[in-house]
mmCIF file of all heavy atoms in Angstrom:
data_model
loop_
_atom_site.group_PDB
_atom_site.id
_atom_site.type_symbol
_atom_site.label_atom_id
_atom_site.label_comp_id
_atom_site.label_asym_id
_atom_site.label_seq_id
_atom_site.Cartn_x
_atom_site.Cartn_y
_atom_site.Cartn_z
ATOM 1 N N GLY A 1 -26.566 -24.721 2.746
ATOM 2 C CA GLY A 1 -25.747 -24.801 3.955
ATOM 3 C C GLY A 1 -26.139 -25.952 4.854
ATOM 4 O O GLY A 1 -25.966 -25.855 6.046
ATOM 5 N N THR A 2 -26.787 -26.930 4.301
ATOM 6 C CA THR A 2 -27.158 -28.108 5.129
ATOM 7 C C THR A 2 -26.607 -29.403 4.540
ATOM 8 O O THR A 2 -27.332 -30.309 4.036
ATOM 9 C CB THR A 2 -28.750 -28.232 5.160
ATOM 10 O OG1 THR A 2 -29.196 -28.312 3.724
ATOM 11 C CG2 THR A 2 -29.358 -27.030 5.823
ATOM 12 N N PRO A 3 -25.251 -29.542 4.595
ATOM 13 C CA PRO A 3 -24.626 -30.655 3.898
ATOM 14 C C PRO A 3 -24.942 -32.002 4.520
ATOM 15 O O PRO A 3 -24.677 -33.086 3.907
ATOM 16 C CB PRO A 3 -23.109 -30.436 3.952
ATOM 17 C CG PRO A 3 -23.027 -29.477 5.097
ATOM 18 C CD PRO A 3 -24.338 -28.710 5.266
ATOM 19 N N THR A 4 -25.428 -32.098 5.725
ATOM 20 C CA THR A 4 -25.753 -33.360 6.341
ATOM 21 C C THR A 4 -27.196 -33.830 6.217
ATOM 22 O O THR A 4 -27.583 -34.842 6.883
ATOM 23 C CB THR A 4 -25.396 -33.307 7.843
ATOM 24 O OG1 THR A 4 -26.066 -32.305 8.453
ATOM 25 C CG2 THR A 4 -23.852 -33.037 7.993
ATOM 26 N N ALA A 5 -27.985 -33.136 5.438
ATOM 27 C CA ALA A 5 -29.432 -33.498 5.301
ATOM 28 C C ALA A 5 -29.511 -34.877 4.671
ATOM 29 O O ALA A 5 -28.627 -35.340 3.940
ATOM 30 C CB ALA A 5 -30.185 -32.496 4.410
ATOM 31 N N ASP A 6 -30.625 -35.573 4.953
ATOM 32 C CA ASP A 6 -30.792 -36.883 4.435
ATOM 33 C C ASP A 6 -31.638 -37.007 3.204
ATOM 34 O O ASP A 6 -31.958 -38.124 2.725
ATOM 35 C CB ASP A 6 -31.275 -37.866 5.517
ATOM 36 C CG ASP A 6 -32.645 -37.453 6.087
ATOM 37 O OD1 ASP A 6 -33.156 -36.379 5.677
ATOM 38 O OD2 ASP A 6 -33.262 -38.201 6.825
ATOM 39 N N ARG A 7 -32.105 -35.864 2.708
ATOM 40 C CA ARG A 7 -32.942 -35.701 1.513
ATOM 41 C C ARG A 7 -32.499 -34.529 0.745
ATOM 42 O O ARG A 7 -32.081 -33.519 1.249
ATOM 43 C CB ARG A 7 -34.419 -35.532 1.846
ATOM 44 C CG ARG A 7 -35.011 -36.676 2.398
ATOM 45 C CD ARG A 7 -36.485 -36.430 2.555
ATOM 46 N NE ARG A 7 -36.923 -37.338 3.546
ATOM 47 C CZ ARG A 7 -37.699 -37.067 4.539
ATOM 48 N NH1 ARG A 7 -38.338 -35.920 4.605
ATOM 49 N NH2 ARG A 7 -38.022 -37.960 5.418
ATOM 50 N N PRO A 8 -32.754 -34.552 -0.598
ATOM 51 C CA PRO A 8 -32.455 -33.331 -1.374
ATOM 52 C C PRO A 8 -33.491 -32.259 -1.107
ATOM 53 O O PRO A 8 -34.586 -32.557 -0.736
ATOM 54 C CB PRO A 8 -32.535 -33.831 -2.842
ATOM 55 C CG PRO A 8 -33.399 -34.957 -2.799
ATOM 56 C CD PRO A 8 -33.225 -35.624 -1.380
ATOM 57 N N LEU A 9 -33.154 -31.029 -1.343
ATOM 58 C CA LEU A 9 -34.057 -29.900 -1.266
ATOM 59 C C LEU A 9 -34.541 -29.616 -2.695
ATOM 60 O O LEU A 9 -33.963 -28.791 -3.404
ATOM 61 C CB LEU A 9 -33.376 -28.742 -0.662
ATOM 62 C CG LEU A 9 -32.812 -28.963 0.743
ATOM 63 C CD1 LEU A 9 -31.895 -27.722 1.168
ATOM 64 C CD2 LEU A 9 -33.879 -29.131 1.746
ATOM 65 N N VAL A 10 -35.589 -30.311 -3.098
ATOM 66 C CA VAL A 10 -36.006 -30.311 -4.507
ATOM 67 C C VAL A 10 -36.309 -28.876 -4.945
ATOM 68 O O VAL A 10 -36.033 -28.563 -6.066
ATOM 69 C CB VAL A 10 -37.211 -31.277 -4.763
ATOM 70 C CG1 VAL A 10 -37.714 -31.208 -6.121
ATOM 71 C CG2 VAL A 10 -36.826 -32.665 -4.320
ATOM 72 N N GLY A 11 -36.851 -28.068 -4.117
ATOM 73 C CA GLY A 11 -37.190 -26.702 -4.439
ATOM 74 C C GLY A 11 -35.931 -25.780 -4.745
ATOM 75 O O GLY A 11 -36.064 -24.786 -5.398
ATOM 76 N N MET A 12 -34.771 -26.284 -4.289
ATOM 77 C CA MET A 12 -33.527 -25.477 -4.466
ATOM 78 C C MET A 12 -32.705 -26.135 -5.603
ATOM 79 O O MET A 12 -31.541 -25.731 -5.804
ATOM 80 C CB MET A 12 -32.746 -25.340 -3.241
ATOM 81 C CG MET A 12 -33.421 -24.466 -2.151
ATOM 82 S SD MET A 12 -32.367 -24.200 -0.812
ATOM 83 C CE MET A 12 -31.050 -23.164 -1.571
ATOM 84 N N CYS A 13 -33.189 -27.101 -6.243
ATOM 85 C CA CYS A 13 -32.366 -27.853 -7.164
ATOM 86 C C CYS A 13 -32.030 -26.975 -8.405
ATOM 87 O O CYS A 13 -32.872 -26.360 -8.945
ATOM 88 C CB CYS A 13 -33.193 -29.127 -7.663
ATOM 89 S SG CYS A 13 -32.173 -30.140 -8.741
ATOM 90 N N ASP A 14 -30.682 -27.025 -8.699
ATOM 91 C CA ASP A 14 -30.218 -26.473 -9.945
ATOM 92 C C ASP A 14 -29.706 -27.676 -10.761
ATOM 93 O O ASP A 14 -28.538 -27.959 -10.825
ATOM 94 C CB ASP A 14 -29.162 -25.452 -9.684
ATOM 95 C CG ASP A 14 -28.688 -24.705 -10.967
ATOM 96 O OD1 ASP A 14 -29.101 -25.141 -12.036
ATOM 97 O OD2 ASP A 14 -27.913 -23.810 -10.828
ATOM 98 N N SER A 15 -30.662 -28.374 -11.357
ATOM 99 C CA SER A 15 -30.336 -29.616 -11.951
ATOM 100 C C SER A 15 -29.447 -29.554 -13.141
ATOM 101 O O SER A 15 -28.758 -30.520 -13.510
ATOM 102 C CB SER A 15 -31.611 -30.383 -12.352
ATOM 103 O OG SER A 15 -32.297 -29.687 -13.366
ATOM 104 N N ALA A 16 -29.299 -28.379 -13.717
ATOM 105 C CA ALA A 16 -28.372 -28.259 -14.858
ATOM 106 C C ALA A 16 -26.918 -28.148 -14.403
ATOM 107 O O ALA A 16 -26.016 -28.311 -15.147
ATOM 108 C CB ALA A 16 -28.682 -26.923 -15.650
ATOM 109 N N ARG A 17 -26.749 -28.013 -13.068
ATOM 110 C CA ARG A 17 -25.377 -28.000 -12.534
ATOM 111 C C ARG A 17 -25.104 -29.062 -11.484
ATOM 112 O O ARG A 17 -23.894 -29.252 -11.093
ATOM 113 C CB ARG A 17 -25.210 -26.593 -11.805
ATOM 114 C CG ARG A 17 -25.248 -25.478 -12.784
ATOM 115 C CD ARG A 17 -25.011 -24.109 -12.098
ATOM 116 N NE ARG A 17 -24.149 -24.106 -10.890
ATOM 117 C CZ ARG A 17 -24.376 -23.300 -9.895
ATOM 118 N NH1 ARG A 17 -25.343 -22.481 -9.882
ATOM 119 N NH2 ARG A 17 -23.506 -23.372 -8.866
ATOM 120 N N CYS A 18 -26.096 -29.792 -10.991
ATOM 121 C CA CYS A 18 -25.852 -30.755 -9.985
ATOM 122 C C CYS A 18 -25.457 -32.166 -10.570
ATOM 123 O O CYS A 18 -26.170 -32.635 -11.517
ATOM 124 C CB CYS A 18 -27.147 -30.975 -9.150
ATOM 125 S SG CYS A 18 -26.865 -32.130 -7.763
ATOM 126 N N PRO A 19 -24.429 -32.747 -10.146
ATOM 127 C CA PRO A 19 -23.944 -33.982 -10.656
ATOM 128 C C PRO A 19 -24.840 -35.183 -10.374
ATOM 129 O O PRO A 19 -24.748 -36.253 -11.042
ATOM 130 C CB PRO A 19 -22.576 -34.211 -9.978
ATOM 131 C CG PRO A 19 -22.666 -33.485 -8.659
ATOM 132 C CD PRO A 19 -23.569 -32.299 -9.020
ATOM 133 N N GLN A 20 -25.834 -35.054 -9.448
ATOM 134 C CA GLN A 20 -26.703 -36.166 -9.166
ATOM 135 C C GLN A 20 -28.055 -36.036 -9.885
ATOM 136 O O GLN A 20 -28.872 -36.923 -9.720
ATOM 137 C CB GLN A 20 -26.922 -36.231 -7.702
ATOM 138 C CG GLN A 20 -25.648 -36.503 -6.915
ATOM 139 C CD GLN A 20 -25.819 -36.831 -5.468
ATOM 140 O OE1 GLN A 20 -25.435 -37.818 -4.993
ATOM 141 N NE2 GLN A 20 -26.482 -35.878 -4.740
ATOM 142 N N ALA A 21 -28.222 -34.975 -10.700
ATOM 143 C CA ALA A 21 -29.402 -34.795 -11.377
ATOM 144 C C ALA A 21 -29.352 -35.403 -12.837
ATOM 145 O O ALA A 21 -28.268 -35.294 -13.393
ATOM 146 C CB ALA A 21 -29.813 -33.396 -11.490
ATOM 147 N N THR A 22 -30.426 -35.967 -13.286
ATOM 148 C CA THR A 22 -30.501 -36.462 -14.681
ATOM 149 C C THR A 22 -31.736 -35.886 -15.349
ATOM 150 O O THR A 22 -32.774 -35.715 -14.678
ATOM 151 C CB THR A 22 -30.498 -37.963 -14.783
ATOM 152 O OG1 THR A 22 -31.602 -38.537 -14.068
ATOM 153 C CG2 THR A 22 -29.219 -38.595 -14.201
ATOM 154 N N HIS A 23 -31.696 -35.668 -16.625
ATOM 155 C CA HIS A 23 -32.733 -35.155 -17.412
ATOM 156 C C HIS A 23 -33.154 -36.265 -18.494
ATOM 157 O O HIS A 23 -32.309 -36.881 -19.018
ATOM 158 C CB HIS A 23 -32.364 -33.890 -18.135
ATOM 159 C CG HIS A 23 -31.874 -32.851 -17.211
ATOM 160 N ND1 HIS A 23 -30.522 -32.497 -17.056
ATOM 161 C CD2 HIS A 23 -32.557 -32.002 -16.336
ATOM 162 C CE1 HIS A 23 -30.461 -31.549 -16.176
ATOM 163 N NE2 HIS A 23 -31.641 -31.204 -15.740
ATOM 164 N N HIS A 24 -34.478 -36.333 -18.698
ATOM 165 C CA HIS A 24 -34.941 -37.322 -19.553
ATOM 166 C C HIS A 24 -36.010 -36.626 -20.532
ATOM 167 O O HIS A 24 -36.446 -35.510 -20.247
ATOM 168 C CB HIS A 24 -35.625 -38.468 -18.745
ATOM 169 C CG HIS A 24 -34.614 -39.119 -17.816
ATOM 170 N ND1 HIS A 24 -33.824 -40.186 -18.213
ATOM 171 C CD2 HIS A 24 -34.185 -38.738 -16.540
ATOM 172 C CE1 HIS A 24 -32.969 -40.483 -17.229
ATOM 173 N NE2 HIS A 24 -33.243 -39.603 -16.176
ATOM 174 N N PRO A 25 -36.424 -37.411 -21.553
ATOM 175 C CA PRO A 25 -37.355 -36.802 -22.512
ATOM 176 C C PRO A 25 -38.653 -36.263 -21.908
ATOM 177 O O PRO A 25 -39.176 -35.189 -22.334
ATOM 178 C CB PRO A 25 -37.680 -37.955 -23.482
ATOM 179 C CG PRO A 25 -36.400 -38.713 -23.489
ATOM 180 C CD PRO A 25 -35.916 -38.694 -22.076
ATOM 181 N N CYS A 26 -39.064 -36.839 -20.777
ATOM 182 C CA CYS A 26 -40.271 -36.298 -20.128
ATOM 183 C C CYS A 26 -40.043 -34.958 -19.530
ATOM 184 O O CYS A 26 -41.047 -34.226 -19.208
ATOM 185 C CB CYS A 26 -40.771 -37.271 -19.092
ATOM 186 S SG CYS A 26 -39.606 -37.610 -17.731
ATOM 187 N N HIS A 27 -38.808 -34.577 -19.309
ATOM 188 C CA HIS A 27 -38.468 -33.243 -18.712
ATOM 189 C C HIS A 27 -38.276 -32.235 -19.753
ATOM 190 O O HIS A 27 -38.194 -30.957 -19.477
ATOM 191 C CB HIS A 27 -37.215 -33.345 -17.880
ATOM 192 C CG HIS A 27 -37.291 -34.287 -16.788
ATOM 193 N ND1 HIS A 27 -36.443 -35.396 -16.667
ATOM 194 C CD2 HIS A 27 -38.146 -34.447 -15.767
ATOM 195 C CE1 HIS A 27 -36.755 -36.126 -15.594
ATOM 196 N NE2 HIS A 27 -37.784 -35.534 -15.078
ATOM 197 N N ARG A 28 -38.212 -32.569 -21.077
ATOM 198 C CA ARG A 28 -37.957 -31.585 -22.100
ATOM 199 C C ARG A 28 -38.949 -30.450 -22.188
ATOM 200 O O ARG A 28 -38.594 -29.292 -22.303
ATOM 201 C CB ARG A 28 -37.925 -32.304 -23.460
ATOM 202 C CG ARG A 28 -37.380 -31.378 -24.529
ATOM 203 C CD ARG A 28 -37.415 -32.024 -25.925
ATOM 204 N NE ARG A 28 -36.721 -31.231 -26.905
ATOM 205 C CZ ARG A 28 -37.195 -30.070 -27.390
ATOM 206 N NH1 ARG A 28 -38.328 -29.524 -26.952
ATOM 207 N NH2 ARG A 28 -36.476 -29.433 -28.333
ATOM 208 N N PRO A 29 -40.293 -30.733 -22.054
ATOM 209 C CA PRO A 29 -41.206 -29.567 -22.099
ATOM 210 C C PRO A 29 -41.031 -28.531 -21.030
ATOM 211 O O PRO A 29 -41.167 -27.336 -21.330
ATOM 212 C CB PRO A 29 -42.603 -30.318 -21.907
ATOM 213 C CG PRO A 29 -42.417 -31.702 -22.360
ATOM 214 C CD PRO A 29 -40.981 -32.090 -21.980
ATOM 215 N N VAL A 30 -40.653 -28.981 -19.895
ATOM 216 C CA VAL A 30 -40.369 -27.936 -18.805
ATOM 217 C C VAL A 30 -39.239 -27.095 -19.139
ATOM 218 O O VAL A 30 -39.313 -25.834 -19.027
ATOM 219 C CB VAL A 30 -40.065 -28.685 -17.465
ATOM 220 C CG1 VAL A 30 -39.683 -27.749 -16.383
ATOM 221 C CG2 VAL A 30 -41.310 -29.524 -17.020
ATOM 222 N N TRP A 31 -38.118 -27.647 -19.590
ATOM 223 C CA TRP A 31 -36.957 -26.834 -19.971
ATOM 224 C C TRP A 31 -37.197 -26.037 -21.192
ATOM 225 O O TRP A 31 -36.739 -24.940 -21.296
ATOM 226 C CB TRP A 31 -35.759 -27.803 -20.120
ATOM 227 C CG TRP A 31 -35.231 -28.249 -18.861
ATOM 228 C CD1 TRP A 31 -35.571 -29.439 -18.237
ATOM 229 C CD2 TRP A 31 -34.429 -27.516 -17.939
ATOM 230 N NE1 TRP A 31 -34.899 -29.532 -17.045
ATOM 231 C CE2 TRP A 31 -34.201 -28.417 -16.808
ATOM 232 C CE3 TRP A 31 -33.798 -26.314 -18.005
ATOM 233 C CZ2 TRP A 31 -33.397 -28.003 -15.786
ATOM 234 C CZ3 TRP A 31 -32.968 -26.027 -16.920
ATOM 235 C CH2 TRP A 31 -32.759 -26.729 -15.830
ATOM 236 N N SER A 32 -37.879 -26.527 -22.180
ATOM 237 C CA SER A 32 -38.156 -25.833 -23.412
ATOM 238 C C SER A 32 -39.084 -24.544 -23.102
ATOM 239 O O SER A 32 -38.835 -23.507 -23.619
ATOM 240 C CB SER A 32 -38.865 -26.761 -24.389
ATOM 241 O OG SER A 32 -39.166 -26.045 -25.645
ATOM 242 N N GLU A 33 -40.062 -24.816 -22.311
ATOM 243 C CA GLU A 33 -40.962 -23.646 -21.955
ATOM 244 C C GLU A 33 -40.169 -22.670 -21.147
ATOM 245 O O GLU A 33 -40.342 -21.462 -21.351
ATOM 246 C CB GLU A 33 -42.172 -24.188 -21.188
ATOM 247 C CG GLU A 33 -43.103 -23.104 -20.779
ATOM 248 C CD GLU A 33 -44.309 -23.595 -20.020
ATOM 249 O OE1 GLU A 33 -44.592 -24.757 -19.966
ATOM 250 O OE2 GLU A 33 -44.974 -22.695 -19.374
ATOM 251 N N HIS A 34 -39.277 -23.098 -20.253
ATOM 252 C CA HIS A 34 -38.469 -22.167 -19.469
ATOM 253 C C HIS A 34 -37.618 -21.279 -20.372
ATOM 254 O O HIS A 34 -37.512 -20.104 -20.237
ATOM 255 C CB HIS A 34 -37.637 -22.908 -18.461
ATOM 256 C CG HIS A 34 -36.737 -22.075 -17.613
ATOM 257 N ND1 HIS A 34 -37.228 -21.144 -16.786
ATOM 258 C CD2 HIS A 34 -35.391 -21.955 -17.670
ATOM 259 C CE1 HIS A 34 -36.214 -20.484 -16.268
ATOM 260 N NE2 HIS A 34 -35.100 -21.034 -16.709
ATOM 261 N N ALA A 35 -36.965 -21.975 -21.384
ATOM 262 C CA ALA A 35 -36.140 -21.227 -22.357
ATOM 263 C C ALA A 35 -37.018 -20.202 -23.160
ATOM 264 O O ALA A 35 -36.543 -19.017 -23.257
ATOM 265 C CB ALA A 35 -35.525 -22.188 -23.282
ATOM 266 N N GLU A 36 -38.205 -20.571 -23.568
ATOM 267 C CA GLU A 36 -39.055 -19.714 -24.301
ATOM 268 C C GLU A 36 -39.494 -18.487 -23.484
ATOM 269 O O GLU A 36 -39.453 -17.325 -23.961
ATOM 270 C CB GLU A 36 -40.270 -20.459 -24.761
ATOM 271 C CG GLU A 36 -39.967 -21.447 -25.919
ATOM 272 C CD GLU A 36 -41.191 -22.368 -26.195
ATOM 273 O OE1 GLU A 36 -42.303 -22.018 -25.771
ATOM 274 O OE2 GLU A 36 -41.009 -23.353 -26.858
ATOM 275 N N ARG A 37 -39.849 -18.723 -22.288
ATOM 276 C CA ARG A 37 -40.289 -17.622 -21.406
ATOM 277 C C ARG A 37 -39.176 -16.677 -21.068
ATOM 278 O O ARG A 37 -39.294 -15.477 -20.939
ATOM 279 C CB ARG A 37 -40.946 -18.168 -20.105
ATOM 280 C CG ARG A 37 -42.287 -18.755 -20.397
ATOM 281 C CD ARG A 37 -43.034 -19.212 -19.146
ATOM 282 N NE ARG A 37 -44.251 -19.835 -19.495
ATOM 283 C CZ ARG A 37 -45.252 -19.981 -18.666
ATOM 284 N NH1 ARG A 37 -45.099 -19.580 -17.412
ATOM 285 N NH2 ARG A 37 -46.390 -20.515 -19.013
ATOM 286 N N THR A 38 -37.956 -17.275 -20.849
ATOM 287 C CA THR A 38 -36.795 -16.410 -20.535
ATOM 288 C C THR A 38 -36.431 -15.616 -21.693
ATOM 289 O O THR A 38 -36.084 -14.447 -21.554
ATOM 290 C CB THR A 38 -35.590 -17.390 -20.065
ATOM 291 O OG1 THR A 38 -36.026 -18.139 -18.976
ATOM 292 C CG2 THR A 38 -34.428 -16.507 -19.653
ATOM 293 N N GLU A 39 -36.497 -16.150 -22.904
ATOM 294 C CA GLU A 39 -36.260 -15.359 -24.125
ATOM 295 C C GLU A 39 -37.223 -14.160 -24.215
ATOM 296 O O GLU A 39 -36.784 -13.040 -24.599
ATOM 297 C CB GLU A 39 -36.363 -16.256 -25.284
ATOM 298 C CG GLU A 39 -35.943 -15.551 -26.632
ATOM 299 C CD GLU A 39 -36.046 -16.497 -27.829
ATOM 300 O OE1 GLU A 39 -36.845 -17.457 -27.802
ATOM 301 O OE2 GLU A 39 -35.246 -16.292 -28.697
ATOM 302 N N ILE A 40 -38.490 -14.385 -23.935
ATOM 303 C CA ILE A 40 -39.467 -13.291 -23.924
ATOM 304 C C ILE A 40 -39.105 -12.231 -22.967
ATOM 305 O O ILE A 40 -39.121 -10.987 -23.274
ATOM 306 C CB ILE A 40 -40.891 -13.890 -23.651
ATOM 307 C CG1 ILE A 40 -41.372 -14.725 -24.787
ATOM 308 C CG2 ILE A 40 -41.855 -12.728 -23.367
ATOM 309 C CD1 ILE A 40 -42.630 -15.547 -24.519
ATOM 310 N N PHE A 41 -38.713 -12.541 -21.769
ATOM 311 C CA PHE A 41 -38.280 -11.589 -20.746
ATOM 312 C C PHE A 41 -37.102 -10.792 -21.273
ATOM 313 O O PHE A 41 -36.998 -9.616 -21.076
ATOM 314 C CB PHE A 41 -37.951 -12.227 -19.379
ATOM 315 C CG PHE A 41 -39.154 -12.644 -18.577
ATOM 316 C CD1 PHE A 41 -39.284 -13.913 -18.134
ATOM 317 C CD2 PHE A 41 -40.163 -11.720 -18.334
ATOM 318 C CE1 PHE A 41 -40.393 -14.321 -17.378
ATOM 319 C CE2 PHE A 41 -41.276 -12.097 -17.554
ATOM 320 C CZ PHE A 41 -41.357 -13.391 -17.087
ATOM 321 N N LEU A 42 -36.087 -11.546 -21.908
ATOM 322 C CA LEU A 42 -34.888 -10.844 -22.390
ATOM 323 C C LEU A 42 -35.266 -9.812 -23.423
ATOM 324 O O LEU A 42 -34.674 -8.718 -23.455
ATOM 325 C CB LEU A 42 -33.940 -11.886 -23.007
ATOM 326 C CG LEU A 42 -33.092 -12.608 -21.941
ATOM 327 C CD1 LEU A 42 -32.437 -13.850 -22.617
ATOM 328 C CD2 LEU A 42 -32.086 -11.751 -21.334
ATOM 329 N N VAL A 43 -36.169 -10.115 -24.311
ATOM 330 C CA VAL A 43 -36.583 -9.199 -25.372
ATOM 331 C C VAL A 43 -37.208 -7.977 -24.757
ATOM 332 O O VAL A 43 -37.005 -6.802 -25.271
ATOM 333 C CB VAL A 43 -37.533 -9.924 -26.387
ATOM 334 C CG1 VAL A 43 -38.150 -8.945 -27.330
ATOM 335 C CG2 VAL A 43 -36.764 -10.972 -27.137
ATOM 336 N N GLN A 44 -37.960 -8.150 -23.731
ATOM 337 C CA GLN A 44 -38.729 -7.076 -23.110
ATOM 338 C C GLN A 44 -37.930 -6.252 -22.129
ATOM 339 O O GLN A 44 -38.309 -5.120 -21.726
ATOM 340 C CB GLN A 44 -40.019 -7.586 -22.423
ATOM 341 C CG GLN A 44 -40.981 -8.186 -23.415
ATOM 342 C CD GLN A 44 -42.144 -8.804 -22.706
ATOM 343 O OE1 GLN A 44 -42.215 -8.950 -21.545
ATOM 344 N NE2 GLN A 44 -43.160 -9.250 -23.502
#
């Protein structure tokens, strides 16, 4: 609810949905680990 801010709120970033975010090979381990951990939670 702060559309006039002059910086992004990195802690609130949903980069999979934001048009200004880009993903690169260096980000793959973070997303891969997130998927693995989420899958573990789903099973449990």
Side-chain angles (χ1 to χ4, degrees):
T2 57
T4 59
D6 61 352
R7 289 187 203 140
L9 301 171
V10 178
M12 291 188 68
C13 183
D14 186 351
S15 64
R17 293 178 36 213
C18 184
Q20 298 188 123
T22 58
H23 302 104
H24 301 271
C26 63
H27 301 121
R28 190 187 191 287
V30 173
W31 285 97
S32 180
E33 182 179 344
H34 178 64
E36 290 170 12
R37 288 183 181 200
T38 304
E39 184 178 32
I40 290 169
F41 284 128
L42 280 166
V43 169
Q44 296 175 353

